[in-house]
Amino acid sequence: MRNIYLIFSKELKSYFTSPIAYVVITIFLIITGYFFYNILATFSLISFQAETNPIIARQYNLLNINESVVRPLFGNISMIMLLMMPLLTMRLFAEEKKTGTIELLLTYPVKDVEVLVGKFLACVAVFGVMLFSTITYPVLLILLGEPEIGPIVTGYLGLFLLGVAFISLGIFTSSLTENQIVSATIAFGALIIFWLLSYSMLFAPPEIGRLISYISMTEHLESLAKGVLDTEDILYYVNFTLLFLFLTLRSIESRRWRG
Amino acid sequence: MIEVKELVKEYGDFRAVDGITFSVEKGEILGFLGPNGAGKTTTMRILTCFFPPTGGTAKVSGFDCFTESLEVRKRIGYLPESVPLYLDMKVKDYLEFAAALKGVESGEVDRKVARVMGECGIEHMAGRLIKELSKGYRQRVGLAQALVNDPEVLILDEPTIGLDPRQIIEIRKLIKELAGRRTVILSTHILPEVSMVCKRVIIINKGRLVAVDTPDNLTARVQGAGRVALGVRGPAEAIKERLETIRGVKKVVIDGRRDDGTMGLSVEFEKGVDPRPEIPEAIVGSGWDLLEMKTQELSLEDIFIRLITREEGMVQ
């Protein structure tokens, strides 16, 4: 436990002594803030028109703040997360491999799994700060309107689990290479494929379509953002994370048996 | 303290270490000599549990480097050749991190870090970022992290490479002082370094053990006969012929004309004979000028070449 904590705090410090954490979090908040403003402005414009014009009101029979603001906002946040997370994870192992510090670290009396968990948790912590900063958006909604709290809470849970899954995949690609750009690029590619997999459902036979929809990352976020708390969705993210952490561990250990 | 038996490490088809066996006693400083790619670093990485051997065993303090790697890792201090440090950390923070990770008790960390910074002469750098330090000071920080857990065994991979001469002398002195009761393995390709610091030397080449001996014995063993370099003014060929008539001279080689117009020759003697007193007489007596005469020590390169060619000759 002490070793995990030591690695964790060292990694966390290095996120905040270098500009990485500040830059990523700032850009993330600017973009999500921009989306939030636009979604909310559109919503209030339509609401205003619907109030004065019954024909428009009939067209938008779903003028619900959760459906029209919170859900699209979560969709946008998750997309921006996809663009930001590989930038947080790419250095975790690749940098240590490049500078050679991994050789010293792995000859200290520390287990590989402790190194991995320490680094993973540090990245999760940075991501946690980043995601938690967006809490101002729903708080504003609560102050201005009357959104349902439940779907907001499950939506955040979904975003958090999704982000953690992104991190595990990012760490894995970082452990494969000593080049940070290669690591980030593979992570982007893999995440986007997992993301867009649901498109293939349109053409696939129904049985395979069900499988694809289970593997796709988006499908699981959708139901959580709607406020449906299903263990299947939670387990999906947990399994996804564990699988890639396991693969990372194997990848670090591969130095032991690879020729 | 350290026992290595029939150690083999293969990278794909390439055999980097090929059946090396040696042992190091407690408190001994062992020099590890070899040309680049001889398998020095690979052997050290096996001893430090970075990766396991393909075959054979390595034991440190009775613990196997593969099956009881955590026990081994608690007992060693390692400084890799490239001195990999976290450049964005401050010296003191880094050493505290290393100390804690190497199992120093929380209450002891401050004391041990302070001690090791004193020993390595880096107290005044405690608050500096490692990336701001010179190569020499980084080397000291590297040594400090290796020593911070008070290890029984110290493994140093080319600790003086890339330093300027003054720094080299300082680091050597430091290693000698710090060794104390510890067992040290030090790899290098500089012979004087070995004779200054180590009591025993292992020479490896192409993954095989070539020789194990004290530095003095080793030099004596391959040197066999002496050699002098001469600076002479006069006709080279004639001088060569005259010198070859001296009893005990084995071979005379003309090195060529130097910038100042003198002729350089090197004279090799047979074993057990010292014809040096006769050389000036032979030259001056023939009417030429002897401007320079210098006994030549065998360089490490010569020793390598001799030991290695001898070994390869035996194999054939």
Side-chain angles (χ1 to χ4, degrees), chain A residues 105-121:
Chain A
L105 189 59
L106 296 180
T107 53
Y108 284 170
V110 187
K111 293 184 185 121
D112 293 355
V113 65
E114 292 171 333
V115 173
L116 172 62
V117 172
K119 283 176 180 282
F120 170 72
L121 291 180

Side-chain angles (χ1 to χ4, degrees), chain A:
Chain A
M1 264 334 270
R2 184 180 177 224
N3 288 341
I4 294 178
Y5 172 73
L6 286 167
I7 305 263
F8 167 80
S9 59
K10 187 230 138 215
E11 287 296 332
L12 198 59
K13 255 185 234 158
S14 85
Y15 268 119
F16 286 100
T17 49
S18 71
I20 303 171
Y22 301 107
V23 171
V24 171
I25 292 176
T26 308
I27 301 293
F28 177 75
L29 290 179
I30 289 173
I31 303 175
T32 53
Y34 175 79
F35 275 117
F36 174 66
Y37 170 76
N38 281 293
I39 294 168
L40 193 62
T42 316
F43 178 71
S44 71
L45 183 72
I46 293 169
S47 308
F48 182 70
Q49 286 176 343
E51 210 170 328
T52 51
N53 190 336
I55 301 162
I56 292 178
R58 227 175 290 134
Q59 278 178 332
Y60 294 92
N61 52 6
L62 257 178
L63 271 182
N64 167 318
I65 201 163
N66 280 90
E67 286 297 311
S68 318
V69 179
V70 177
R71 265 182 66 193
L73 179 66
F74 281 170
N76 285 318
I77 290 181
S78 65
M79 199 64 210
I80 298 153
M81 264 162 48
L82 187 151
L83 295 172
M84 293 296 171
M85 298 318 277
L87 302 176
L88 282 183
T89 55
M90 66 181 188
R91 50 172 285 281
L92 285 171
F93 281 100
E95 192 180 36
E96 296 226 28
K97 284 181 152 191
K98 187 109 185 171
T99 57
T101 49
I102 195 91
E103 185 177 345
L104 259 189
L105 189 59
L106 296 180
T107 53
Y108 284 170
V110 187
K111 293 184 185 121
D112 293 355
V113 65
E114 292 171 333
V115 173
L116 172 62
V117 172
K119 283 176 180 282
F120 170 72
L121 291 180
C123 193
V124 168
V126 174
F127 164 64
V129 171
M130 182 169 123
L131 187 64
F132 188 75
S133 311
T134 65
I135 206 99
T136 44
Y137 312 146
V139 166
L140 269 176
L141 289 181
I142 292 166
L143 292 176
L144 297 171
E146 288 171 351
E148 260 187 86
I149 304 295
I152 295 179
V153 173
T154 57
Y156 263 108
L157 177 69
L159 283 179
F160 182 74
L161 290 173
L162 181 74
V164 170
F166 286 171
I167 290 172
S168 72
L169 193 142
I171 288 190
F172 174 61
T173 63
S174 178
S175 76
L176 296 176
T177 167
E178 55 171 51
N179 186 318
Q180 299 192 31
I181 294 174
V182 170
S183 155
T185 311
I186 300 175
F188 281 132
L191 288 178
I192 289 170
I193 285 171
F194 273 115
W195 194 262
L196 299 180
L197 219 50
S198 47
Y199 282 128
S200 319
M201 275 174 357
L202 301 173
F203 318 108
E207 312 82 51
I208 298 174
R210 278 238 315 282
L211 183 71
I212 291 173
S213 106
Y214 186 76
I215 295 173
S216 161
M217 289 184 124
T218 2
E219 297 296 309
H220 295 277
L221 186 64
E222 277 295 300
S223 53
L224 280 167
K226 274 185 215 154
V228 183
L229 193 61
D230 192 338
T231 45
E232 185 188 308
D233 302 318
I234 293 170
L235 274 179
Y236 168 81
Y237 289 123
V238 171
N239 283 338
F240 188 97
T241 307
L242 288 180
L243 171 70
F244 279 101
L245 287 181
F246 173 77
L247 290 176
T248 312
L249 197 58
R250 287 289 99 106
S251 152
I252 308 168
E253 283 173 354
S254 71
R255 74 179 192 283
R256 297 195 194 284
W257 46 262
R258 213 161 46 184

Side-chain angles (χ1 to χ4, degrees), chain B residues 12-308:
Chain B
D13 290 338
F14 176 64
R15 220 167 226 228
V17 173
D18 191 3
I20 286 184
T21 302
F22 66 89
S23 63
V24 191
E25 296 301 317
K26 196 173 161 70
E28 195 179 3
I29 306 183
L30 177 84
F32 223 58
L33 275 167
N36 291 331
K40 289 176 296 197
T41 301
T42 305
T43 311
M44 290 190 154
R45 283 183 169 171
I46 294 169
L47 282 174
T48 55
C49 313
F50 184 64
F51 48 47
T54 315
T57 55
K59 280 187 178 172
V60 174
S61 305
F63 297 101
D64 187 275
C65 287
F66 181 49
T67 54
E68 291 154 309
S69 111
L70 281 181
E71 290 301 318
V72 173
R73 289 191 254 167
K74 273 182 205 155
R75 289 168 172 76
I76 54 167
Y78 176 39
L79 178 61
E81 185 180 343
S82 58
V83 195
L85 303 170
Y86 295 107
L87 301 181
D88 285 333
M89 287 177 95
K90 288 180 178 158
V91 172
K92 188 156 177 274
D93 293 344
Y94 171 67
L95 291 175
E96 282 169 358
F97 169 69
L101 215 50
K102 291 175 101 175
V104 175
E105 299 291 324
S106 305
E108 293 278 280
V109 169
D110 280 347
R111 200 177 56 80
K112 291 219 169 175
V113 167
R115 194 205 66 207
V116 90
M117 283 200 297
E119 283 177 348
C120 297
I122 47 174
E123 301 108 319
H124 55 297
M125 294 291 172
R128 294 271 285 274
L129 287 174
I130 294 175
K131 68 177 163 196
E132 293 170 354
L133 300 184
S134 68
K135 181 90 170 80
Y137 273 109
R138 285 187 196 184
Q139 207 85 19
R140 284 161 183 264
V141 176
L143 266 178
Q145 69 72 35
L147 286 164
V148 77
N149 59 333
D150 227 339
E152 296 166 28
V153 176
L154 206 51
I155 297 181
L156 309 172
D157 197 354
E158 304 256 4
T160 57
I161 204 167
L163 298 179
D164 68 37
R166 194 176 46 85
Q167 293 170 327
I168 290 180
I169 292 166
E170 283 172 4
I171 292 285
R172 262 181 216 158
K173 215 175 113 220
L174 198 59
I175 292 171
K176 223 173 166 178
E177 284 169 10
L178 296 179
R181 62 194 187 288
R182 296 188 182 94
T183 309
V184 183
I185 295 188
L186 173 104
S187 88
T188 179
H189 57 254
I190 309 165
L191 189 63
E193 187 160 296
V194 171
S195 21
M196 255 174 257
V197 183
C198 308
K199 297 190 183 71
R200 211 155 58 98
V201 185
I202 285 183
I203 295 189
I204 58 173
N205 182 46
K206 293 182 183 162
R208 292 184 150 275
L209 206 67
V210 180
V212 187
D213 218 330
T214 63
D216 293 342
N217 282 351
L218 213 57
T219 316
R221 219 168 100 185
V222 289
Q223 201 146 19
R227 195 162 69 170
V228 291
L230 301 175
V232 189
R233 197 171 288 146
E237 283 301 327
I239 299 172
K240 184 181 172 199
E241 273 169 36
R242 175 69 186 88
L243 287 173
E244 276 166 350
T245 62
I246 301 173
R247 199 180 64 84
V249 170
K250 191 175 163 193
K251 205 165 86 179
V252 178
V253 179
I254 300 169
D255 294 335
R257 192 170 290 277
R258 297 184 191 154
D259 291 344
D260 58 357
T262 59
M263 188 57 73
L265 292 114
S266 59
V267 184
E268 213 172 301
F269 314 143
E270 276 162 20
K271 209 169 182 170
V273 202
D274 189 1
R276 274 180 296 182
E278 291 167 43
I279 292 176
E281 210 185 291
I283 293 172
V284 180
S286 309
W288 303 308
D289 298 329
L290 176 63
L291 300 160
E292 198 184 321
M293 181 166 155
K294 191 163 67 183
T295 312
Q296 280 189 329
E297 291 276 328
L298 275 181
S299 66
L300 179 67
E301 285 70 25
D302 296 328
I303 293 185
F304 269 148
I305 290 163
R306 292 190 179 201
L307 281 170
I308 289 160

